[in-house]
Amino acid sequence: QQFSEQRQFFTEGVDLFNKGNLFYSRRIGSSPSYYPEIDENFEEVTNFPNNVKVLNAVKISGRTKDGLGVGVFNAITKKTDVIIKNYDTNETRKEVVEPLSNYNILVVDKQFNKNSSVSLINTNVTRNGSFRDANVSGLLFDLNNKTNKYNVSGGLKSSSISDTQNTNGINASLFLAENSGNFRYSVGGEFMSKDFDNNDLGINFRTNYYSFYNNASYR
């Protein structure tokens, strides 16, 4: 399930960071990423938290008169432990379920010809120690002619995950459309590889597919 963001800091001034749908702000400060391995016959986690504390978050974004937009976002979440109790020996131990983590986004967006843009975005999640790290980059474009009759849009995204094993994936799309006149059409396609994964700082429910789309109408 995908829930809407209610925290004011993460809803205001985030237009640049939402480029390419690679940012799902509820990942920051959500429930811990890991659940400890326990002996269910003798052990129990006594205080598993609902969320991780956000220590610090900052975002800076703006656009020049020439149409160049730049955005930088960074957040740090606290190391989070749980207590595991052994009912046989009455002993307790601590285990890390979320390490000290850094979430970062960098966006550069160039608008030109009043109605076209090219964007570069990078999201990165770095967790302290031997925990999972993730990096996702995207190059996006939305090109229109002066009358907005013709449009070409799409992009290329890549993910790199460092965990028990390293995986890399890609997501590519291209769409063409005629948006005015009596006869209008659009055609496009998208490919997502099996190992594309942007879920550390984004949200994605499905991978490993090809998708094709076309539409034609007379008005």
Side-chain angles (χ1 to χ4, degrees):
Q1 289 181 312
Q2 181 176 357
F3 298 97
S4 61
E5 179 61 81
Q6 303 297 326
R7 296 171 294 180
Q8 186 175 3
F9 177 83
F10 294 101
T11 59
E12 294 183 348
V14 294
D15 293 344
L16 273 176
F17 305 110
N18 289 328
K19 293 282 185 179
N21 297 318
L22 295 178
F23 179 40
Y24 179 48
S25 59
R26 287 181 64 99
R27 294 294 189 200
I28 302 170
S30 64
S31 59
S33 305
Y34 305 92
Y35 194 87
E37 294 185 5
I38 61 173
D39 186 336
E40 295 182 356
N41 296 319
F42 302 102
E43 293 182 319
E44 182 182 19
V45 178
T46 61
N47 65 333
F48 195 82
N50 292 325
N51 50 61
V52 175
K53 183 177 181 180
V54 179
L55 296 177
N56 181 45
V58 60
K59 63 177 185 285
I60 302 172
S61 63
R63 190 175 296 276
T64 67
K65 294 180 180 180
D66 296 329
L68 178 64
V70 178
V72 179
F73 175 94
N74 197 84
I76 300 172
T77 57
K78 184 180 180 181
K79 175 186 174 184
T80 305
D81 301 319
V82 296
I83 297 175
I84 301 171
K85 183 175 182 179
N86 187 310
Y87 286 103
D88 189 35
T89 63
N90 210 33
E91 295 179 345
T92 60
R93 61 184 174 90
K94 287 185 177 181
E95 190 163 332
V96 178
V97 291
E98 184 69 32
L100 182 70
S101 303
N102 187 82
Y103 299 80
N104 182 265
I105 306 174
L106 173 64
V107 186
V108 178
D109 175 71
K110 175 61 176 177
Q111 295 181 345
F112 55 95
N113 292 341
K114 297 183 179 180
N115 56 3
S116 299
S117 66
V118 175
S119 308
L120 179 65
I121 180 170
N122 178 262
T123 70
N124 181 274
V125 180
T126 302
R127 297 182 174 94
N128 191 39
S130 59
F131 290 86
R132 168 183 168 119
D133 297 328
N135 191 82
V136 180
S137 299
L139 175 63
L140 316 168
F141 56 89
D142 184 10
L143 310 177
N144 299 274
N145 67 335
K146 292 183 178 180
T147 61
N148 283 324
K149 182 175 183 179
Y150 299 105
N151 171 263
V152 179
S153 61
L156 177 64
K157 307 170 190 175
S158 66
S159 67
S160 178
I161 307 299
S162 177
D163 203 351
T164 52
Q165 61 180 8
N166 296 335
T167 58
N168 298 284
I170 61 171
N171 174 211
S173 62
L174 178 64
F175 297 92
L176 310 172
E178 182 178 350
N179 295 317
S180 64
N182 297 116
F183 180 76
R184 305 183 187 189
Y185 68 89
S186 59
V187 60
E190 182 179 11
F191 164 72
M192 186 176 292
S193 68
K194 180 180 179 180
D195 292 324
F196 181 79
D197 188 351
N198 65 316
N199 282 309
D200 291 79
L201 193 47
I203 187 167
N204 183 29
F205 296 105
R206 184 177 58 157
T207 62
N208 194 27
Y209 69 87
Y210 296 89
S211 174
F212 299 98
Y213 166 85
N214 66 80
N215 174 272
S217 65
Y218 182 81
R219 305 191 182 190

